[in-house]
Amino acid sequence: FIFLFDSIDQLERSDYSLDWLLVDFPANVKVVYSVLTDFEDIYKRYTEKVGAREKNVAVVGKVDKETAKLITNDWLGKADRQLTADQWSVLDLLYSAADLLPLYLKLVYDIVSKWTSYHVADDSFKSCTNIDSCIEYLFRSLEKDYGKILFSHALFYMSSFQNGISEND
């Protein structure tokens, strides 16, 4: 069995103590926790609680620019997409200025994989140097594509669900 607890840093503040954290499992059970390393000392508390099992901790950090370009190119290839030389130049400049975390790379890929060969990156995309700015860019793009009223109402309804939204909803 594999259990995945993603983004434990997004739990209620009262859960940041990690009193609920399980550490002893049968050999056939694996548990993966993901957390931001610099958020409210949760990572520090986690490694203290895990103790000798710290060898099982994998910190996924930033990648270098060349690796980021290889990853992006690989993902584009798997989707049977490619970028023009000018588009790669924009990405090269962006990757030089950005924190190249895996989530950031995925967000940038989600944006550029939709580009046509004649697409010219605008200034707002060129300023997407972190995860938050990429998410804002994606939201602005959705608002532009679907209209402000539909987009804002859809976000309102999605955020209204107390325990998140289901796939069917």
Side-chain angles (χ1 to χ4, degrees):
F1 294 101
I2 299 176
F3 294 99
L4 175 63
F5 295 92
D6 189 24
S7 301
I8 60 175
D9 48 279
Q10 294 181 8
L11 295 171
E12 295 292 325
R13 201 172 224 24
S14 60
D15 295 323
Y16 289 173
S17 66
L18 302 183
D19 294 335
W20 55 269
L21 189 78
L22 304 173
V23 291
D24 293 319
F25 298 99
N28 65 333
V29 175
K30 305 296 179 208
V31 179
V32 177
Y33 298 102
S34 76
V35 62
L36 295 173
T37 57
D38 58 351
F39 188 81
E40 299 279 335
D41 290 330
I42 295 174
Y43 176 72
K44 180 181 174 196
R45 272 189 235 104
Y46 171 79
T47 54
E48 287 170 357
K49 186 161 184 140
V50 172
R53 293 176 187 86
E54 190 169 339
K55 66 180 184 281
N56 294 329
V57 174
V59 177
V60 179
K62 299 175 187 177
V63 298
D64 61 82
K65 184 171 84 167
E66 293 308 313
T67 303
K69 288 164 60 175
L70 284 171
I71 290 169
T72 304
N73 195 42
D74 183 58
W75 287 344
L76 288 166
K78 287 179 181 177
D80 201 24
R81 306 284 300 166
Q82 28 182 332
L83 300 178
T84 65
D86 289 340
Q87 291 168 340
W88 273 114
S89 296
V90 170
L91 272 188
D92 191 53
L93 290 171
L94 196 64
Y95 284 173
S96 295
D99 287 333
L100 300 175
L101 295 165
L103 179 57
Y104 172 80
L105 293 179
K106 175 66 169 107
L107 291 169
V108 169
Y109 164 75
D110 287 343
I111 295 167
V112 303
S113 65
K114 310 281 188 291
W115 286 357
T116 59
S117 61
Y118 53 85
H119 180 85
V120 177
D122 58 4
D123 289 337
S124 61
F125 175 75
K126 292 176 183 177
S127 66
C128 290
T129 56
N130 59 43
I131 292 169
D132 290 341
S133 60
C134 284
I135 292 171
E136 288 173 21
Y137 180 87
L138 286 166
F139 279 6
R140 281 192 307 272
S141 297
L142 288 169
E143 184 178 280
K144 181 180 166 190
D145 291 345
Y146 296 102
K148 186 173 188 138
I149 293 173
L150 178 62
F151 179 71
S152 63
H153 282 79
L155 282 182
F156 169 76
Y157 288 123
M158 286 189 282
S159 62
S160 296
F161 291 90
Q162 184 175 6
N163 295 316
I165 190 167
S166 70
E167 186 77 25
N168 291 335
D169 293 331

